[in-house]
Amino acid sequence: MIESREDYNKHYKHSVDNPRKYWQEYSKNFMWKNSPEKILSWNFNDPDIKWFEDGTLNITENIFERNIKNKDDTAIIWEANNPSESNKEYTYSELFDEVCTFANVLKKNGVEKGDRVIIYLPMIPEAAISMLACARIGAVHSVVFAGFSANSLSDRINDCSAKVVITSDGNFRGSKVINVKGVVDEALKNSDCVKNVLTVMRTGSDIDMVKGRDLWYHEESKLVDNICTAEEMTSEDLLFILYTSGSTGKPKGVVHTCAGYMLYAQFTFENVFQYSRGDTYWCTADVGWITGHSYIVYGPLLTGAKTILFEGVPTYPDASRFWKVIDKYKVNQFYTAPTAIRALQSYGEKFIRDSDLSSLKVIGSVGEPINEEAWNWYNDNVGKNNCPIVDTWWQTETGGIMISPLPNIIDCKPTYATLPLPGIQPVLLDNQGNEILENNVEGNLCIKYPWPSILRTTYGDHNRCRETYFSTFKGYYFTGDGARRDENGYYRILGRVDDVINVSGHRIGTAEVEDAINLNKEVIESAVVGFPHEIKGQGIFGFIIIKESEKEIDYFSSIRETVNKYIGPIAKPDQILIVPGLPKTRSGKIMRRILRKIASNQFDNFGDISTLLNPDIVEKIISNYKKLSK
Ligand code: WTA
């Protein structure tokens, strides 16, 4: 673990001067079936990246068998949605039993190494257990956030030809009960690859079970034992696929492989949170996102940490829930998203005033830029001016945290993710692809050398991986983010430079939302852009051309419902504006920067609009906007 600023400097220099040696040394902390000798081979043009290629291992052995001394330590504390329901705790050895049992149920139902398994579960212990069970037997898990619609779920099931779906009868979320299994049933009408649906009982809801296809987990688990030897995996075998939105087309399956991901998840967890044995750590993300993968499940469990898995929402039963949970378990490291901070701030201090929170040592932020006001509120009210805030920048594709302060080692600066972790070589490029060497500049954030958990491909479509990440700037991994570097070399992330909107820390591609909106039968064409939103960071603004109609139609509700159906509630537009046309170039491309300005209530400095086919449309859109905002 890095312990001081000098230590960081030493680590960083070593990791850049001799990356192979640096990661080879770190790899010795792990349990290999075959130790690797070939450390790294790579080219970013194909891309073709291999870490520890000739090594073999199983990540779950590195959680359970490697840390055998910790077997009676608590691994997971599960806190239920409803505070009056008792929690559950698992020691490492209890968790190990559960994982092996689950793995044996999968095996019994024909799941083999390399098969894809979709996990569509609420935040219950089985979410983590089933991920680890897949890893134990070498099956590839793909967790789908349980807020996605049937349509989004079936797209993902079909894209990876999943053999099994793991779900639950229902989901307690705040005061609601959500019929998760019903969504799976609906999704499977459009999928024929799935042989079985393994259903965990959670809510006791009345659900349909399809004979021959659907199985109750609690019944299956009685038929197997809890001994399961770990499958031997090569370093570059697939560990998981996680779907994420991009600027074009449908979500793509980001692929992570076994060894590199494992190393980097542990490395970043222990350094960024400065976790010591006995600490209690809590990340509020959902396992359906990369943050849940790397920093609820893999990073903490590889480190032997005590990690909290929280089923509920920040505002149930009221807006003091997070603070109560922190006090209840004396949480030492707390990791959440700016959108949650802003939402809780908006409820006022009375919900946090009576909380003690003195157990906290480090507080973290992830998923979107944290604005200065939210940063200060977090620092004053949660950290009590006494906890470093780790503003961690990273992505689904990077697998782990890339740029972040290290608590009490690298000084924090509000809104800055600060310095790269060892092994990470960020650069800023101008639009022509030249590296900008000075400080106090802005540019496209790229990374110029591979790190162990860089994505390897996009599932089933390697070309898309190359086009999206490795073609814009030849020889670099392009993040899609813009960044600023200050006089000390600190990075501040400015947000996406592509057509991706970051809504409450969730990535949503504009094309995806437009495709959904266009399925509404009243719609001819649409364009969506992000606009500043007080709580969500960015909201979704839709400019819509509709068919002529005699009827009175509530377009706002109708369009939101369509998006809800095809993607899920997170992608519902916050505002829509009916327009007579869209600003297009002669080649038919929508000039989104104009729409972005209008949606942000700015009506000048549109830049060069001489290539517009229909410049008059801009005035018409502005006039409709002004009518709407009146
Ligand atoms: C944004 C989440 C500013 C960024 C781990 C990135 C951030 C996208 C930060 C990835 C941060 C993430 N400051 N922006 N600390 N962290 N982002 O794949 O735009 O869900 O490209 O991964 O979130 O989102 P993803």
Side-chain angles (χ1 to χ4, degrees):
M1 201 146 95
I2 299 167
E3 285 170 354
S4 64
R5 179 62 201 240
E6 299 69 58
D7 210 14
Y8 164 81
N9 293 347
K10 243 180 22 212
H11 271 260
Y12 192 78
K13 186 167 185 315
H14 180 25
S15 77
V16 171
D17 291 348
N18 204 337
R20 288 185 173 81
K21 192 130 186 272
Y22 185 78
W23 291 113
Q24 181 173 33
E25 279 163 19
Y26 190 70
S27 75
K28 301 204 169 118
N29 295 310
F30 292 84
M31 189 168 161
W32 298 88
K33 288 183 193 280
N34 256 323
S35 296
E37 307 219 322
K38 285 195 206 157
I39 303 305
L40 168 68
S41 67
W42 68 289
N43 83 67
F44 271 178
N45 295 325
D46 189 28
D48 180 17
I49 304 150
K50 295 192 178 83
W51 280 97
F52 314 108
E53 195 181 341
D54 55 345
T56 64
L57 76 159
N58 187 292
I59 193 167
T60 66
E61 278 194 329
N62 281 277
I63 293 175
F64 299 113
E65 284 95 332
R66 177 179 58 144
N67 298 332
I68 205 77
K69 282 202 290 292
N70 292 8
K71 73 181 183 16
D72 298 321
D73 287 3
T74 305
I76 292 180
I77 300 177
W78 174 74
E79 167 79 5
N81 175 60
N82 190 329
S84 60
E85 181 176 345
S86 43
N87 63 3
K88 284 190 196 163
E89 297 203 8
Y90 298 81
T91 62
Y92 275 85
S93 78
E94 288 163 345
L95 185 65
F96 188 26
D97 285 349
E98 297 285 341
V99 167
C100 289
T101 306
F102 209 115
N104 285 336
V105 168
L106 293 173
K107 278 215 272 205
K108 171 176 172 288
N109 288 293
V111 179
E112 292 174 2
K113 179 175 177 178
D115 286 342
R116 274 80 55 213
V117 173
I118 291 272
I119 300 176
Y120 187 74
L121 278 176
M123 288 287 285
I124 54 178
E126 287 78 4
I129 292 166
S130 60
M131 287 163 75
L132 298 172
C134 289
R136 187 81 183 164
I137 62 172
V140 178
H141 60 71
S142 183
V143 185
V144 178
F145 172 58
F148 276 118
S149 69
N151 187 69
S152 296
L153 176 60
S154 73
D155 281 351
R156 288 157 173 77
I157 292 171
N158 293 337
D159 188 78
C160 70
S161 322
K163 196 174 202 177
V164 165
V165 175
I166 301 170
T167 191
S168 69
D169 57 345
N171 178 4
F172 289 122
R173 203 173 153 74
S175 53
K176 293 188 237 156
V177 184
I178 296 161
N179 181 359
V180 193
K181 174 67 165 55
V183 179
V184 172
D185 292 341
E186 185 65 32
L188 291 184
K189 288 184 187 156
N190 300 316
S191 303
D192 46 23
C193 47
V194 172
K195 304 275 175 295
N196 292 113
V197 176
L198 202 50
T199 310
V200 177
M201 188 177 282
R202 168 66 187 123
T203 54
S205 309
D206 188 17
I207 55 163
D208 293 331
M209 293 293 278
V210 175
K211 235 183 142 192
R213 187 195 73 181
D214 299 353
L215 305 162
W216 282 109
Y217 178 70
H218 62 267
E219 290 173 1
E220 290 294 299
S221 62
K222 289 193 195 111
L223 309 175
V224 299
D225 63 23
N226 61 1
I227 294 163
C228 176
T229 32
E231 188 73 35
E232 180 166 358
M233 308 295 284
T234 68
S235 295
E236 288 297 336
D237 279 334
L238 269 59
L239 176 63
F240 67 85
I241 304 170
L242 188 57
Y243 285 86
T244 187
S245 294
S247 45
T248 53
K250 296 217 182 239
K252 47 192 176 296
V254 168
V255 168
H256 285 290
T257 55
C258 294
Y261 176 82
M262 171 182 78
L263 253 82
Y264 201 67
Q266 177 176 333
F267 177 80
T268 49
F269 176 77
E270 54 189 20
N271 283 303
V272 172
F273 296 101
Q274 295 280 306
Y275 185 89
S276 326
R277 190 168 174 197
D279 284 351
T280 303
Y281 160 89
W282 181 22
C283 166
T284 68
D286 191 284
V287 286
W289 311 113
I290 190 71
T291 308
H293 284 59
S294 302
Y295 301 111
I296 295 178
V297 180
Y298 288 112
L301 295 179
L302 282 161
T303 309
K306 192 192 299 176
T307 173
I308 296 179
L309 192 98
F310 174 50
E311 183 183 34
V313 296
T315 50
Y316 180 81
D318 65 36
S320 66
R321 186 68 189 277
F322 273 6
W323 325 128
K324 292 213 165 106
V325 174
I326 292 175
D327 283 348
K328 177 172 175 186
Y329 298 108
K330 307 229 169 344
V331 170
N332 305 109
Q333 292 90 359
F334 176 66
Y335 193 28
T336 195
T339 186
I341 299 167
R342 288 190 296 263
L344 294 172
Q345 177 183 5
S346 76
Y347 282 85
E349 260 90 85
K350 73 171 196 274
F351 289 102
I352 191 167
R353 209 179 290 139
D354 299 332
S355 310
D356 174 39
L357 306 182
S358 61
S359 56
L360 290 172
K361 296 194 281 196
V362 178
I363 55 180
S365 168
V366 60
E368 51 177 318
I370 178 164
N371 50 310
E372 191 144 4
E373 199 197 343
W375 197 98
N376 286 329
W377 189 86
Y378 198 30
N379 188 39
D380 294 345
N381 294 282
V382 183
K384 315 267 192 211
N385 290 299
N386 205 13
C387 292
I389 298 182
V390 289
D391 177 358
T392 62
W393 172 81
W394 59 295
Q395 310 178 295
T396 305
E397 295 84 348
T398 70
I401 297 168
M402 302 284 281
I403 304 184
S404 170
L406 300 180
N408 304 313
I409 294 171
I410 291 165
D411 291 337
C412 304
K413 174 173 175 183
T415 76
Y416 279 75
T418 76
L419 296 178
L421 264 66
I424 308 305
Q425 302 187 35
V427 290
L428 296 179
L429 301 187
D430 65 20
N431 289 338
Q432 284 67 49
N434 306 307
E435 276 189 36
I436 311 172
L437 299 172
E438 317 75 80
N439 283 343
N440 276 321
V441 287
E442 289 179 10
N444 298 295
L445 180 61
C446 293
I447 314 287
K448 72 169 174 193
Y449 195 89
W451 61 99
S453 63
I454 184 174
L455 87 160
R456 302 302 198 263
T457 186
T458 45
Y459 193 77
D461 191 354
H462 193 61
N463 194 32
R464 190 158 175 209
C465 176
R466 174 170 53 239
E467 288 299 314
T468 313
Y469 307 105
F470 298 94
S471 296
T472 320
F473 300 108
K474 279 265 168 301
Y476 299 90
Y477 165 79
F478 176 41
T479 66
D481 282 320
R484 180 187 156 70
R485 191 168 51 222
D486 78 359
E487 61 284 359
N488 299 316
Y490 273 24
Y491 287 87
R492 174 186 192 171
I493 311 303
L494 301 169
R496 304 288 307 192
V497 295
D498 55 8
D499 289 326
V500 170
I501 313 180
N502 196 329
V503 182
S504 301
H506 304 318
R507 278 162 65 171
I508 297 175
T510 50
E512 214 188 320
V513 183
E514 288 160 6
D515 288 347
I517 292 177
N518 297 347
L519 292 167
N520 183 304
K521 59 183 189 323
E522 307 300 333
V523 171
I524 297 178
E525 201 184 350
S526 64
V528 311
V529 296
F531 74 105
H533 187 289
E534 252 180 49
I535 306 281
K536 298 180 177 182
Q538 280 192 297
I540 300 180
F541 198 116
F543 293 85
I544 322 259
I545 309 175
I546 47 166
K547 292 182 187 150
E548 281 203 30
S549 168
E550 306 284 296
K551 293 176 282 176
E552 274 278 307
I553 297 175
D554 175 359
Y555 290 106
F556 182 67
S557 307
S558 162
I559 285 167
R560 278 166 60 90
E561 191 37 49
T562 308
V563 175
N564 188 37
K565 174 165 173 218
Y566 288 103
I567 306 179
I570 54 171
K572 287 198 281 194
D574 300 278
Q575 288 217 36
I576 68 159
L577 183 70
I578 306 296
V579 292
L582 293 166
K584 286 193 180 166
T585 61
R586 279 165 217 286
S587 58
K589 256 187 106 165
I590 297 169
M591 229 187 240
R592 277 168 211 281
R593 65 184 150 86
I594 297 181
L595 299 177
R596 273 195 286 266
K597 284 240 156 170
I598 299 176
S600 323
N601 210 6
Q602 291 170 14
F603 310 118
D604 46 18
N605 294 328
F606 287 131
D608 179 16
I609 57 169
S610 63
T611 56
L612 273 190
L613 189 64
N614 50 351
D616 332 338
I617 200 69
V618 178
E619 279 313 312
K620 291 186 187 146
I621 297 175
I622 293 176
S623 142
N624 284 12
Y625 178 87
K626 287 185 173 160
K627 272 188 248 156
L628 176 82
S629 20
K630 256 193 221 140

